[in-house]
Amino acid sequence: MYDNYLNFHEYFMDPQRIPFLVVAMFITAIAGMISGPLAGNANPFIWGVYNALFGFAGDKLDRPNRKTRDLVFRGTLFVIILLVFALIVSKPMAQFTVRSSAIEGLLVIACLSTGSIWYMMLKLYFTLQKEGKVEGGYFGLARSTRLNLNSVDDFGITREGLAFSAISFDKGLVAPGIWYLIGGVPFIIIYSIVSFASWRFGKQGFTSGFGKAALAVEKLLGYVPSLFSGALYTLASAVAPSANPVQSLKAWWQAKDKVPYEQGGIMLSALAWSLGVSLGGPVRDVSGETLGKVWVGPDGASAKVEAFHLKRGIVINIVAHLIFLLSILSAYVYSGQFL
C-alpha cells in the first residue's frame, strides 16, 4: 500500500521518458544561451515550423471585417485541421522514436524553450541599463510576444519582458514537458501545435473570434500544468534576492481569479506579487490592435517596473527551472528507474 502511494506518479506518466526531458532541458539551455533566439523568436523551435506551414493560411482566414460567428467557425475548423495534422504526423514520429532515441530527443528539444529566453532577457536587461552598445535588445521580445513595443515606454517593455519570461516557462517547458511524460511524442506534438495556435492567433484573449477555439483547447490542456508552474514560481521566489514569497502566496487567493488565464493567469500573479510590482496594462500587438490587459499586483504597487526588477525576474525564472528539474529527477529516483 505504501509502495503504491510512493509510485503514484507512475500511473499517469512514464518515468523512462524523464531522461529524455532532462537532456532536452540541458541542450536547449546551453544552445539557447550560446546562440540566442532563432530569428529573434525565443519560443520553441517547432512553433516556427508550424508558423511557416500554417501562419499564412491562418492570416488569410482571420479577416477582421468578418462577423464574429463566421470567424469563430473558421477558427474552430482551423484548429481541427491542426489537430488532424498533429495526429497524422505523430504516429510515424512515434514509430521513428522507437527505432532511434536520438530522434525522440530532437523532437522534445524542438518543443521546448529555455536558454534562448534567458539570452533574450539578459540582452533586454543590458539594453535597459544602457550598459554599452546592445543591438536588437527589443527585437527578440517584440518577435516573441508579437507586440508593438513602440506603443509603450521602457516601463511597459520591462513589464512585458517579465510577463513573457513567466508565461514562456509554463508554455515552453512545464506544460509540454508534462504532456510528454504522460503520453510521449504524440502528446507533446499535439500540445505544441495547440499552444502555437493560441500564441499566433489568440492575441492573449483579445481575438475577434478566430483564435477563440485555439485559446479554449489550449486552456483545456494547459490549465493544470499552469497551476504547477505557478507553484514552482512561488517556491522560486523564496530563494530569489529581494523577492517576497509570502506576497507570492497571497496571489493564490487574492489575485488568482482576477487575471484571465489567457493573459498569464496565476503565473503573472505569482510573479507580480513576489516582486511587489504591477504588471499587465494595455499594449498594441503587431496588427495595431490594442490589447486592454488587466493590471495585476499588490494594492499600491507601482507600474514603473525597472531593470532591476527584470534582473530579479530572471533569477526567479532560472530558479524555477532548477526546481522543475529537481522535481522530475526526484520522480525518476522514486520510480526505481535510476537504480
Side-chain angles (χ1 to χ4, degrees), residues 282-293:
V283 65
R284 293 179 184 173
D285 69 355
V286 292
S287 67
E289 182 178 349
T290 298
L291 310 182
K293 298 192 294 182

Side-chain angles (χ1 to χ4, degrees), residues 167-181:
I167 295 171
S168 62
F169 170 69
D170 178 34
K171 309 305 178 189
L173 176 63
V174 176
I178 288 176
W179 281 112
Y180 169 69
L181 294 178

Side-chain angles (χ1 to χ4, degrees), residues 278-322:
S278 184
L279 299 179
V283 65
R284 293 179 184 173
D285 69 355
V286 292
S287 67
E289 182 178 349
T290 298
L291 310 182
K293 298 192 294 182
V294 301
W295 292 98
V296 56
D299 292 338
S302 174
K304 294 182 178 181
V305 184
E306 302 187 43
F308 70 90
H309 292 113
L310 186 63
K311 183 179 180 180
R312 295 174 186 174
I314 294 171
V315 173
I316 292 176
N317 186 274
I318 294 175
V319 173
H321 278 75
L322 294 176

Side-chain angles (χ1 to χ4, degrees), residues 4-297:
N4 289 337
Y5 174 75
L6 283 179
N7 297 323
F8 175 75
H9 59 277
E10 295 187 31
Y11 289 103
F12 62 88
M13 77 176 191
D14 185 353
Q16 294 182 359
R17 299 191 184 107
I18 292 178
F20 289 97
L21 181 57
V22 171
V23 172
M25 286 180 62
F26 275 107
I27 292 177
T28 54
I30 295 171
M33 282 296 294
I34 293 174
S35 64
L38 183 63
N41 194 336
N43 291 303
F45 172 79
I46 202 167
W47 286 16
V49 176
Y50 293 145
N51 192 44
L53 293 174
F54 302 107
F56 180 77
D59 287 335
K60 287 293 184 182
L61 291 170
D62 187 12
R63 295 292 187 181
N65 58 337
R66 294 272 183 174
K67 293 182 179 179
T68 300
R69 184 172 57 183
D70 183 29
L71 289 173
V72 171
F73 174 77
R74 287 170 170 234
T76 303
L77 183 62
F78 184 71
V79 170
I80 291 174
I81 292 172
L82 293 182
L83 290 173
V84 170
F85 171 82
L87 290 171
I88 293 174
V89 169
S90 64
K91 184 174 181 180
M93 287 296 182
Q95 293 174 344
F96 283 134
T97 57
V98 172
R99 303 172 189 172
S100 173
S101 58
I103 294 178
E104 181 168 359
L106 289 173
L107 282 171
V108 177
I109 290 170
C111 295
L112 303 183
S113 182
T114 54
S116 60
I117 296 169
W118 302 336
Y119 180 101
M120 185 195 74
M121 299 304 293
L122 285 170
K123 195 171 185 179
L124 178 62
Y125 169 75
F126 292 131
T127 301
L128 292 169
Q129 285 285 81
K130 297 178 174 59
E131 297 183 2
K133 185 179 180 181
V134 182
E135 296 182 358
Y138 301 145
F139 176 69
L141 181 62
R143 285 292 304 274
S144 302
T145 59
R146 294 184 56 80
L147 295 177
N148 179 4
L149 298 182
N150 292 322
S151 63
V152 291
D153 55 14
D154 283 356
F155 298 130
I157 292 173
T158 309
R159 292 195 300 268
E160 292 302 328
L162 283 168
F164 175 75
S165 67
I167 295 171
S168 62
F169 170 69
D170 178 34
K171 309 305 178 189
L173 176 63
V174 176
I178 288 176
W179 281 112
Y180 169 69
L181 294 178
I182 293 174
V185 168
F187 278 38
I188 196 173
I189 289 178
I190 290 172
Y191 177 77
S192 67
I193 204 167
V194 170
S195 57
F196 152 74
S198 176
W199 164 77
R200 184 65 171 77
F201 302 104
K203 297 187 176 183
Q204 301 185 44
F206 293 95
T207 173
S208 56
F210 184 78
K212 286 185 178 296
L215 290 169
V217 177
E218 197 284 323
K219 185 175 182 179
L220 178 66
L221 298 178
Y223 185 77
V224 173
S226 74
L227 297 179
F228 183 47
S229 300
L232 294 177
Y233 246 58
T234 298
L235 288 173
S237 67
V239 297
S242 303
N244 191 329
V246 176
Q247 285 280 46
S248 185
L249 282 171
K250 289 182 179 179
W252 285 83
W253 66 84
Q254 293 190 23
K256 179 174 176 291
D257 297 325
K258 295 182 179 179
V259 184
Y261 172 85
E262 296 79 8
Q263 296 178 35
I266 191 60
M267 291 296 302
L268 199 64
S269 299
L271 178 60
W273 283 67
S274 67
L275 294 179
V277 298
S278 184
L279 299 179
V283 65
R284 293 179 184 173
D285 69 355
V286 292
S287 67
E289 182 178 349
T290 298
L291 310 182
K293 298 192 294 182
V294 301
W295 292 98
V296 56

